[in-house]
Amino acid sequence: RHPGGLGLHAIEGVKPLGAVQAQQVGIFNELMDANSLFLTGNSSTMYVFPNLELDRDGPTVVEVPPGALGAFNDAYFRYIADVGPAGADAGEGGKYLVLPPGYEEDVPDGYFVVQSPSFTVWTFMRMSVADGLDAAYNNVAENLRVYPLSEAENPPALELISLSGKSFNTVHANNFQFYEELNAVVQREPIDLFPEETRGLWASIGIEKGKPFEPDERMRAILEDAVAIGNAAARSIVWHPRTDSILSGLQTFAGTNWNSAFLNQDVFFDGPDDETMNTDARVTFHYPYTAVTPAMAKPSPGVGSDYRIAYLDAAGEPFDGSVTYKVTLPANPPADDFWAFTLYDAQTRSMLQTDQPLPSIDSIQNDPALNDDGSIDVYFAPEAPEGFETNWVQTIPGKSWFTILRMYGPRQEWLDGDYVPGEITRVE
């Protein structure tokens, strides 16, 4: 699920995009667009993706630029640590030293130390483009460095590899290849990265560390059915959760179809007694979204970003790409930086591929028109309603979609739920 590294390029047909050494870092210097399949990425900030391979490089240094917002995630897509305002550098930038599993040697001074449970560590950073793309890119080019600690005296030069406009797929397969992807990670990572019970479940279908994964024809047919059923179950849990506690825990504005990504703002998916995992809560996040950090679930006023998601319209129906919809933002959206809507394909959970360069609208790049009272009408439709061309995001007939409303630099009235966006309503 990553654009470089992760060892998944060992699978036939899976190839990296060039960022295979520590100092080679993928960057969406012209923003992410719908060419790439990437779970609910956005087109409003500049993504930077260092990918660490600690089994190859050992302890690795990541010099984070000031203003970066992001985190380290392990190979099981669990949170390790933040970078940026919620991290040890407090948004000022600084040197992080990421240690591999089982590392027991002396650790030098002068670093923010991060202990990883996995050899593969995905680092995601988002850079604000409020001052323009060039300013964001130059900040990265001048301040980001990634290199093995062993080369700290003479680190290799940073190589930024543009990912903008490239077609690639980081979404897990929904067919038999899913198991091959899983097996590649199991073979590479320490065995204790995964819980014993989970390892036992994988072993029951032939995935065991140190052993070849060679299912016979019968088992392969079973697994092909299983991944299809699992995919359908995950989709049902995300779009139409049946459990009241899930519904109430995701709903952020009472009586509306605006949801949070995290059940009860918990990125560790704890159950009611904090001793069990709520697996439905985990599915509601990891099926449609990517990186995980507490800073995304409980942002501070004016720092980072906060999201609301709509999978259903005001009538509780999935969105129809042939229909015109309207949503109204009350005056003065509470964002210190900017707000943004982005549309996603309900099948891939990635940005919707349309004729527009970017399937989104935000308060910086689009300069949407205001109503007399300062409110903002935004339309989602196959064609722009007359007079609202700057307030429109294109949809595709025959294809469903969903949307995320992001507030960058969210103010207290947003975090408290006092500012409520309108429901997304069909225009008859």
Side-chain angles (χ1 to χ4, degrees):
R1 278 175 53 177
H2 302 286
L6 243 201
L8 295 187
H9 48 271
I11 300 172
E12 184 178 356
V14 178
K15 299 179 181 179
L17 293 174
V20 293
Q21 300 298 321
Q23 74 274 12
Q24 297 172 323
V25 176
I27 184 171
F28 284 90
N29 54 305
E30 296 181 3
L31 302 180
M32 183 184 289
D33 58 30
N35 283 292
S36 58
L37 296 184
F38 197 104
L39 295 182
T40 51
N42 73 70
S43 58
S44 301
T45 59
M46 185 177 292
Y47 283 110
V48 185
F49 291 148
N51 195 73
L52 312 185
E53 300 190 19
L54 305 178
D55 51 344
R56 180 193 63 198
D57 297 331
T60 300
V61 179
V62 181
E63 297 185 14
V64 174
L69 180 68
F72 298 100
N73 278 195
D74 70 15
Y76 205 27
F77 252 115
R78 292 175 298 197
Y79 166 78
I80 304 176
D82 287 292
V83 301
D89 67 289
E92 299 298 319
K95 295 182 179 181
Y96 287 80
L97 176 60
V98 185
L99 303 178
Y103 188 78
E104 297 180 351
E105 299 180 30
D106 292 338
V107 177
D109 295 331
Y111 297 96
F112 304 122
V113 178
V114 174
Q115 177 64 64
S116 172
S118 64
F119 292 123
T120 303
V121 179
W122 188 55
T123 314
F124 77 96
M125 302 178 193
R126 291 165 292 163
M127 310 301 299
S128 172
V129 297
D131 295 326
L133 293 177
D134 288 345
Y137 180 85
N138 291 337
N139 182 21
V140 174
E142 293 168 6
N143 295 292
L144 176 66
R145 296 292 182 271
V146 186
Y147 50 87
L149 178 64
S150 60
E151 300 180 20
E153 294 298 320
N154 185 28
L158 176 71
E159 297 177 41
L160 290 175
I161 297 173
S162 176
L163 303 180
S164 292
K166 293 184 178 179
S167 297
F168 60 92
N169 181 9
T170 70
V171 179
H172 272 308
N174 291 330
N175 55 25
F176 180 79
Q177 185 178 318
F178 168 81
Y179 298 100
E180 296 175 318
E181 295 169 356
L182 174 60
N183 182 60
V185 178
V186 169
Q187 299 306 327
R188 178 173 188 176
E189 297 297 340
I191 191 170
D192 58 2
L193 177 66
F194 314 106
E196 288 183 355
E197 182 178 358
T198 302
R199 299 200 305 263
L201 291 173
W202 294 341
S204 71
I205 61 172
I207 296 177
E208 293 185 79
K209 189 171 180 66
K211 297 182 179 181
F213 175 51
E214 297 174 340
D216 59 22
E217 185 175 344
R218 170 184 169 276
M219 178 58 75
R220 186 181 181 105
I222 291 171
L223 294 179
E224 287 174 347
D225 282 346
V227 72
I229 293 169
N231 182 55
R235 189 174 298 277
S236 178
I237 290 169
V238 172
W239 263 260
H240 293 282
R242 295 180 297 169
T243 307
D244 288 342
S245 61
I246 295 286
L247 287 167
S248 61
L250 290 174
Q251 196 175 69
T252 54
F253 303 116
T256 75
N257 284 301
W258 287 109
N259 291 336
S260 168
F262 297 101
L263 181 70
N264 299 322
Q265 296 182 297
D266 175 18
V267 303
F268 302 106
F269 316 114
D270 294 322
D273 56 5
D274 292 335
E275 296 295 331
T276 57
M277 174 175 285
N278 187 324
T279 55
D280 279 359
R282 184 172 62 177
V283 168
T284 61
F285 179 80
H286 279 296
Y287 187 73
Y289 315 115
T290 305
V292 61
T293 163
M296 295 171 65
K298 296 182 179 180
S300 301
V303 177
S305 57
D306 195 38
Y307 311 162
R308 297 294 181 268
I309 303 99
Y311 290 105
L312 305 173
D313 67 14
E317 296 294 327
F319 295 109
D320 183 336
S322 65
V323 172
T324 296
Y325 295 88
K326 173 184 174 183
V327 60
T328 299
L329 292 179
N332 302 314
D336 284 348
D337 298 325
F338 61 97
W339 57 264
F341 281 104
T342 306
L343 262 56
Y344 299 95
D345 185 324
Q347 179 63 35
T348 65
R349 294 93 71 204
S350 302
M351 281 191 276
L352 187 66
Q353 295 180 336
T354 70
D355 295 330
Q356 290 180 313
L358 302 174
S360 62
I361 180 172
D362 65 49
S363 54
I364 291 181
Q365 301 180 78
N366 301 94
D367 192 24
L370 306 182
N371 298 322
D372 291 342
D373 63 356
S375 63
I376 306 160
D377 292 333
V378 176
Y379 289 86
F380 309 117
E383 297 181 1
E386 186 174 354
F388 288 94
E389 288 79 7
T390 61
N391 294 44
W392 164 69
V393 186
Q394 187 180 20
T395 60
I396 303 296
K399 182 172 286 295
S400 188
W401 54 271
F402 64 95
T403 189
I404 298 180
L405 169 60
R406 293 173 169 90
M407 293 286 168
Y408 291 91
R411 297 177 188 150
Q412 194 67 53
E413 57 265 40
W414 172 263
L415 300 177
D416 289 343
D418 296 331
Y419 179 97
V420 181
E423 288 262 59
I424 303 176
T425 306
R426 291 175 67 122
V427 177
E428 300 296 343

